[in-house]
C-alpha cells in the first residue's frame, strides 16, 4: 500500500510540473521526491533485515514476491542509509520553502533570499555528516557524538516541520474570502497529510542502517525502522486518507496562483497567446454592441430634448459630445481587432487597479450616465493586465449589475458596487448588485456563448462568456455568488502581482 501512495505522489508531482511549471510545482516535486527517496530506502532496508509484523509487511510490500525481490537487490547498506538520509533531510527543507512561498508575511517576503540560504545551510551540514565516507571518519564508534548528531537532527526536523505548519495555518486564517480559504484549506490538509506520513519514520535515524552489524551498539528498539507501530486497519486508513487529501490538494494547487517580479522589472510584458478567431472577434463584437446600445440611449435623450419647446442646449451639446466619443471608441475597437488578429497575443503589463476601475466606469456611464457606481478600494494595487480588455470585462459586469437592478424594479434603491479586495495571493475585483439574482439552474448556462435571459434583439448572450474568457486569459478565475431576489456578486480573481523589494 505504501507503494501505491508513493506512485500517486510521483504521478501528481510530475503532472503538476508539466501543467504549471512554476516555483510551487517544482518545490512540491522536490517534497514528493524526498519522501519517495526516504520511503524507498526504508522499504528496501526492512525487506533485507526482516522481522516485521504481518500488518507492516502488507503495508510496505503488498505481496511476498515484492519483498523477496527487494530483499535480494544488489544495494549496499551505505547507499540505503544515505538514500534515507537524503529524503529525511530534504523533506523538511522543501516543506519550509513551500510554506515561505505561500506566506504573505512582509518579513518573510522581504527577506526570502536570505531565509532560503539560512534554511538550506543546516540541510547541507547534515547531508555532509551523513555521507558514508564522512560519517565513518567522523562518527564511527564515537557513540556520544552519534547521540548528539541524532538529537540535533531530530530537533532540527521538528523545528522545520513546526515552522512550516505554522506559516501555512497563519496564511489560512489570514484569508478573508470564503472561496479562497476553502481552496487553501485543502492545500494545507494535503501538505499536513504528507508531513504525517513523513512522521511515521522521521524519528528513526539512518545511523541505525550504518550500524546494523556493529555489535558494540545497542540500537533503541522504539527507534527502529522494523518496529511496527500501527495495525493493518490503521495502515489502510492512513493510505486512503493520504491519497484522498493529496489528490484534493493537487486539484486546488492547479488553480492557486501567484506571480512575482523582482524590483527593476516593472516594464516586463507577459505575453499570453490566445485564440484570435474566437476570442478576439467576440471581444470586438461584444464591445461594439455595448457602444451601439449606449448610442441608442443617448439618441433617445437627444430626441427627448429636441421635442421640448426650449431645448437645453448645454445638455444637448453634452450628449452630442458623448456620441462623438462613442464613435471614436468604436474606431478604437476596430484598431484593437486588427492588432489582435495580427499578433495573436494578449499583452499583460503591470497596471494599477484604479486605472482599470476608471476605464470601466467611463464606459459604464456611457450607457447609464446618471447611475453612480460605489467604489471601495483599500489600497492602490497593481495587477498584470491588458487594460483595454480587462476594463471592458469589468464594464460588462457593471452593466449586467444595473440591468439586474432594473429587472428587479429597484431603480430607486438599487446599488451597484465595485469592491477591490487585497486577498493574499489574489487581487479581487468584486462587482456586486442588489438586483434580481440568478437562479441555481442558470448559474452554469449564463457562461455559455449566445445564451441570454434578456431581449435577444439587443443582447446576444456573449457578455459573460466573453468576460470569463478574458479573465482566463489573464491567468485568473471568475467566481459567482448569488441569491434570488437579493442580488449577485461576481469575483474577478487575478494572481497577485507582488513586486519584491
Amino acid at each position: 500500500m505504501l507503494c501505491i501512495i508513493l506512485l500517486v505522489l510521483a504521478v501528481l508531482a510530475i503532472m503538476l510540473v508539466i501543467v504549471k511549471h512554476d516555483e510551487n510545482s517544482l518545490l512540491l516535486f522536490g517534497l514528493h521526491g524526498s519522501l519517495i527517496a526516504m520511503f524507498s530506502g526504508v522499504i528496501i532496508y526492512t525487506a533485507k533485515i526482516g522481522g516485521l509484523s504481518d500488518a507492516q509487511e502488507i503495508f510496505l510490500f503488498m505481496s511476498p514476491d515484492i519483498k523477496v525481490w527487494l530483499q535480494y537487490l544488489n544495494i549496499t547498506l551505505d547507499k540505503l542509509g544515505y538514500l534515507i538520509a537524503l529524503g529525511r533531510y530534504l523533506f523538511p527543507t522543501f516543506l519550509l520553502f513551500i510554506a515561505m512561498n505561500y506566506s504573505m508575511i512582509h518579513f518573510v517576503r522581504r527577506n526570502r533570499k536570505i531565509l532560503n540560504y539560512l534554511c538550506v545551510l543546516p540541510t547541507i551540514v547534515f547531508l555532509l555528516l551523513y555521507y558514508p565516507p564522512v560519517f565513518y571518519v567522523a562518527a564511527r564508534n564515537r557513540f556520544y557524538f552519534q547521540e548528539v548528531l541524532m538529537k540535533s537532527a531530530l530537533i532540527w526536523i521538528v523545528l522545520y516541520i513546526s515552522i512550516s505548519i505554522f506559516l501555512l495555518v497563519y496564511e489560512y486564517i489570514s484569508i478573508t474570502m470564503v472561496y479562497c480559504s476553502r481552496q487553501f484549506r485543502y492545500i494545507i490538509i494535503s501538505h499536513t497529510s504528507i508531513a504525517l506520513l513523513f512522521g511515521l519514520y522521521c524519528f528513526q535515524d539512518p545511523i541505525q542502517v550504518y550500524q546494523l552489524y556493529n555489535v558494540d551498539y545497542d540500537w533503541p528498539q522504539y527507534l527502529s525502522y522494523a518496529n511496527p507501530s500501527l495495525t493493518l486497519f490503521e495502515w489502510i486508513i492512513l493510505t486512503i486518507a493520504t491519497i484522498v487529501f493529496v489528490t484534493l490538494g493537487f486539484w486546488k494547487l492547479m488553480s492557486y496562483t501567484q506571480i512575482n517580479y523582482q524590483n527593476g522589472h516593472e516594464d516586463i510584458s507577459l505575453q499570453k497567446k490566445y485564440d484570435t478567431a474566437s476570442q478576439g472577434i467576440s471581444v470586438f463584437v461584444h464591445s461594439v454592441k455595448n457602444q451601439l446600445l449606449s448610442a441608442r440611449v443617448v439618441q433617445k435623450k437627444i430626441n427627448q430634448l429636441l421635442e421640448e419647446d426650449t431645448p437645453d442646449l448645454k445638455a444637448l451639446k453634452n450628449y452630442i459630445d458623448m456620441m462623438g466619443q462613442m464613435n471614436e471608441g468604436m474606431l478604437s475597437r476596430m484598431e484593437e481587432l486588427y492588432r489582435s488578429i495580427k499578433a495573436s497575443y494578449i499583452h499583460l503589463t503591470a497596471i494599477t487597479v484604479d486605472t482599470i476601475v476608471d476605464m470601466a466606469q467611463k464606459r459604464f456611464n456611457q450607457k447609464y450616465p446618471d447611475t453612480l457606481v460605489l467604489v471601495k478600494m483599500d489600497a492602490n494595487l497593481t495587477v498584470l493586465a491588458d487594460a483595454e480588455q480587462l476594463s471592458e470585462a469589468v464594464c460588462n459586469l457593471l452593466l449586467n449589475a444595473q440591468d439586474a437592478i432594473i429587472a428587479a424594479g429597484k431603480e430607486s434603491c438599487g446599488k451597484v458596487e465595485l469592491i477591490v479586495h487585497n486577498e493574499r495571493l489574489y487581487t479581487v475585483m468584486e462587482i456586486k448588485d442588489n438586483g434580481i439574482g440568478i437562479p441555481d439552474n442558470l448559474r452554469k448556462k449564463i457562461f455559455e456563448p449566445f445564451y441570454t435571459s434578456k431581449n435577444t434583439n439587443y443582447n446576444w448572450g456573449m457578455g459573460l462568456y466573453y468576460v470569463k474568457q478574458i479573465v482566463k486569459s489573464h491567468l485568473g478565475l471568475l467566481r459567482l455568488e448569488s441569491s434570488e431576489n437579493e442580488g449577485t456578486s461576481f469575483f474577478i480573481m487575478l494572481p497577485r502581482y507582488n513586486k519584491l523589494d
Side-chain angles (χ1 to χ4, degrees):
M1 285 181 286
L2 182 58
C3 297
I4 297 176
I5 295 177
L6 300 182
L7 180 62
V8 170
L9 291 176
V11 170
L12 292 181
I14 293 171
M15 286 178 60
L16 193 64
V17 170
I18 293 173
V19 174
K20 297 199 70 173
H21 49 268
D22 59 3
E23 186 178 1
N24 275 341
S25 61
L26 292 174
L27 290 174
L28 190 69
F29 182 82
L31 185 76
H32 288 192
S34 59
L35 191 69
I36 291 170
M38 187 183 82
F39 274 109
S40 298
V42 170
I43 290 173
I44 299 172
Y45 172 71
T46 50
K48 289 182 177 296
I49 65 173
L52 304 176
S53 68
D54 293 339
Q56 198 169 21
E57 286 201 359
I58 293 174
F59 177 71
L60 292 175
F61 312 119
M62 294 185 66
S63 75
D65 293 337
I66 295 177
K67 178 187 174 183
V68 172
W69 179 75
L70 292 173
Q71 190 173 3
Y72 289 100
L73 276 179
N74 186 19
I75 181 170
T76 64
L77 290 177
D78 289 351
K79 292 179 180 177
L80 281 178
Y82 198 64
L83 181 63
I84 296 172
L86 279 172
R88 188 182 191 227
Y89 299 119
L90 288 177
F91 182 92
T93 308
F94 278 116
L95 185 62
L96 186 55
F97 282 169
I98 289 172
M100 289 193 298
N101 201 43
Y102 281 127
S103 177
M104 288 293 156
I105 297 174
H106 183 68
F107 174 80
V108 174
R109 301 207 70 77
R110 185 180 181 85
N111 301 286
R112 178 68 190 280
K113 283 189 175 180
I114 298 174
L115 291 174
N116 284 347
Y117 290 130
L118 291 175
C119 291
V120 81
L121 186 60
T123 309
I124 295 173
V125 171
F126 282 118
L127 289 177
L128 181 62
L129 288 174
Y130 276 80
Y131 186 60
V134 176
F135 174 81
Y136 288 126
V137 171
R140 193 169 198 173
N141 297 322
R142 296 185 175 96
F143 301 125
Y144 176 77
F145 177 76
Q146 291 181 20
E147 289 284 352
V148 172
L149 183 59
M150 286 189 294
K151 290 178 180 179
S152 300
L154 188 56
I155 291 172
W156 171 80
I157 289 171
V158 172
L159 180 64
Y160 270 37
I161 297 292
S162 300
I163 294 174
S164 301
I165 298 300
F166 168 78
L167 289 175
L168 291 171
V169 172
Y170 183 84
E171 178 69 19
Y172 171 71
I173 62 178
S174 300
I175 296 173
T176 57
M177 285 183 60
V178 175
Y179 168 75
C180 293
S181 62
R182 186 168 56 244
Q183 188 184 39
F184 194 67
R185 184 187 309 155
Y186 291 110
I187 295 175
I188 291 181
I189 293 174
S190 172
H191 292 325
T192 304
S193 64
I194 296 175
L196 290 174
L197 188 63
F198 172 77
L200 285 176
Y201 286 102
C202 76
F203 294 97
Q204 295 89 328
D205 197 285
I207 290 178
Q208 68 175 283
V209 181
Y210 298 147
Q211 300 279 22
L212 178 63
Y213 297 116
N214 192 327
V215 295
D216 297 325
Y217 188 66
D218 185 19
W219 189 263
Q221 183 61 27
Y222 68 92
L223 287 178
S224 171
Y225 289 116
N227 181 43
S229 54
L230 298 176
T231 65
L232 178 59
F233 177 74
E234 290 170 335
W235 288 122
I236 294 173
I237 295 298
L238 175 67
T239 301
I240 295 173
T242 301
I243 292 174
V244 170
F245 291 140
V246 168
T247 305
L248 281 173
F250 163 80
W251 182 258
K252 296 302 178 182
L253 276 168
M254 293 294 290
S255 57
Y256 206 66
T257 310
Q258 76 184 115
I259 298 175
N260 295 326
Y261 286 95
Q262 298 291 341
N263 193 24
H265 293 74
E266 293 87 350
D267 55 349
I268 287 179
S269 175
L270 175 65
Q271 295 185 332
K272 189 174 190 329
K273 196 168 186 177
Y274 72 111
D275 185 358
T276 54
S278 60
Q279 185 172 322
I281 293 175
S282 69
V283 168
F284 168 76
V285 170
H286 193 270
S287 60
V288 170
K289 182 212 71 173
N290 280 337
Q291 295 279 1
L292 291 172
L293 292 176
S294 299
R296 179 188 289 271
V297 173
V298 174
Q299 180 191 9
K300 286 183 179 179
K301 291 185 179 293
I302 291 175
N303 289 336
Q304 289 173 358
L305 284 173
L306 293 175
E307 289 174 0
E308 296 177 359
D309 294 333
T310 54
D312 186 340
L313 295 181
K314 184 177 180 180
L316 186 62
K317 184 178 183 307
N318 287 338
Y319 286 131
I320 291 173
D321 289 343
M322 289 176 63
M323 290 284 287
Q325 292 174 5
M326 291 175 192
N327 288 335
E328 291 298 322
M330 283 187 278
L331 289 173
S332 174
R333 296 294 189 279
M334 291 179 185
E335 182 64 26
E336 284 178 37
L337 177 65
Y338 171 75
R339 288 199 310 267
S340 65
I341 291 176
K342 183 178 179 180
S344 300
Y345 283 89
I346 181 171
H347 295 268
L348 307 181
T349 56
I351 188 168
T352 57
V353 175
D354 64 340
T355 302
I356 303 294
V357 171
D358 288 342
M359 293 173 66
Q361 278 186 292
K362 288 177 181 177
R363 292 176 179 175
F364 171 81
N365 287 133
Q366 289 177 357
K367 182 174 181 180
Y368 295 111
D370 302 323
T371 300
L372 177 65
V373 176
L374 302 176
V375 178
K376 299 178 182 178
M377 189 160 33
D378 296 333
N380 189 17
L381 305 171
T382 300
V383 293
L384 284 178
D386 183 304
E388 288 293 331
Q389 296 207 31
L390 185 59
S391 60
E392 186 71 43
V394 174
C395 174
N396 187 78
L397 293 177
L398 291 173
L399 293 173
N400 284 353
Q402 181 61 21
D403 291 342
I405 289 172
I406 295 172
K410 297 181 179 179
E411 290 94 332
S412 59
C413 60
K415 185 166 62 173
V416 177
E417 297 179 81
L418 203 169
I419 307 168
V420 179
H421 303 274
N422 184 14
E423 188 53 67
R424 312 299 283 176
L425 295 182
Y426 290 102
T427 296
V428 183
M429 286 182 279
E430 177 184 0
I431 293 84
K432 184 178 181 181
D433 67 72
N434 60 342
I436 195 171
I438 302 172
D440 292 341
N441 62 327
L442 295 182
R443 292 184 187 179
K444 289 185 178 180
K445 289 184 179 180
I446 59 174
F447 294 105
E448 296 176 2
F450 304 110
Y451 174 83
T452 180
S453 59
K454 304 174 185 177
N455 187 330
T456 55
N457 291 327
Y458 307 116
N459 296 279
W460 307 334
M462 292 297 291
L464 289 175
Y465 169 76
Y466 152 70
V467 170
K468 190 171 184 179
Q469 293 303 311
I470 289 297
V471 174
K472 185 178 179 181
S473 69
H474 282 70
L475 312 175
L477 302 169
L478 182 64
R479 308 301 302 178
L480 162 66
E481 293 179 4
S482 184
S483 299
E484 286 191 69
N485 302 317
E486 294 183 14
T488 300
S489 288
F490 281 94
F491 300 89
I492 296 177
M493 304 174 61
L494 301 176
R496 177 172 173 174
Y497 176 80
N498 203 27
K499 186 176 71 173
L500 302 178
D501 296 326

